[in-house]
Amino acid sequence: MKTIHLSKSNEDIIVPKIFCLGKNYAKHAVEMKSDVPEKPIVFMKPSSAIVHGGAKVKIPPMTKDMHHETEIFFVIGKEGKNIRKEDARSYISAMGIGLDLTLRDLQTELKNKGNPWLISKGFDGSAPISNAVPVDSIDFNSLELKLTVNGQLRQQGSYKNTVFKIEEVIAFISELFTLERGDLIFTGTPEGVAQLKPGDKLHAELIGFTSLDVEIA
Ligand code: ZN
């Protein structure tokens, strides 16, 4: 089982599952030529998709178009079901920056046929994650992220522009799924997603808190 490193307690804990949100920034929905969702669009990656900072991620032979999506993620700190929005914050222990690597050509083909897009989003290496830092009493609306590729700015965004806030997402997901300690929730990408090439060096930041470096092979 793959793990996440918690900076504060200096421990690695198992990640049971990874939830992700689709189209959770309006401008990204627009660049994907789709509507801003009325309910959270939730999908999962297997824990086996995780790699950590310093990893080299190979572009799978099945694709010609692997994209970066840079996303703030939250770490669940304790088990819960049917969590109320007002209580959701107490279930979040930590946060970090991650990449939702996406095989866009496969995803588009699968979506067009109405099929699950799992293989385009859940493959090995598709979830690079930083170490996680405690959320303490941080105002999430102050969180900012950015991604540079080979030193050039590719994506930047502010959590305050997310469509569905994490508290609402936790309430929504936990109506159907038990949340477990170590689960990750990726909160979606701002605009600026683009293709990656072998040799690209990615540097993603949750500005002021933590960062992640990955190389594409
Ligand atoms: Zn994403």
Side-chain angles (χ1 to χ4, degrees), residues 54-82:
K56 286 194 177 179
V57 178
K58 210 173 163 336
I59 300 175
M62 210 185 275
T63 187
K64 292 187 172 59
D65 195 21
M66 185 165 87
H67 278 200
H68 56 75
E69 297 188 359
T70 314
E71 311 198 1
I72 296 168
F73 66 81
F74 292 101
V75 184
I76 296 297
K78 61 182 180 186
E79 186 172 308
K81 184 82 197 288
N82 293 315

Side-chain angles (χ1 to χ4, degrees), residues 134-168:
V135 291
D136 297 329
S137 57
I138 290 158
D139 174 9
F140 294 159
N141 281 320
S142 70
L143 298 176
E144 305 270 341
L145 66 89
K146 70 170 183 177
L147 171 75
T148 62
V149 178
N150 306 323
Q152 305 227 307
L153 185 65
R154 282 274 187 93
Q155 289 192 275
Q156 62 186 139
S158 304
Y159 173 84
K160 65 175 187 294
N161 293 329
T162 51
V163 178
F164 298 102
K165 302 303 171 202
I166 187 64
E167 296 83 358
E168 193 177 346

Side-chain angles (χ1 to χ4, degrees), residues 21 69 71 100 121:
L21 296 177
E69 297 188 359
E71 311 198 1
D100 167 17
K121 290 270 198 185

Side-chain angles (χ1 to χ4, degrees), residues 43-105:
F43 62 96
M44 294 178 85
K45 291 173 183 272
S47 172
S48 51
I50 288 174
V51 292
H52 297 102
K56 286 194 177 179
V57 178
K58 210 173 163 336
I59 300 175
M62 210 185 275
T63 187
K64 292 187 172 59
D65 195 21
M66 185 165 87
H67 278 200
H68 56 75
E69 297 188 359
T70 314
E71 311 198 1
I72 296 168
F73 66 81
F74 292 101
V75 184
I76 296 297
K78 61 182 180 186
E79 186 172 308
K81 184 82 197 288
N82 293 315
I83 299 164
R84 295 187 313 161
K85 193 170 141 186
E86 309 82 77
D87 301 328
R89 172 92 191 205
S90 69
Y91 287 81
I92 304 168
S93 64
M95 61 186 181
I97 191 79
L99 293 164
D100 167 17
L101 296 177
T102 301
L103 310 180
R104 194 70 74 199
D105 46 357

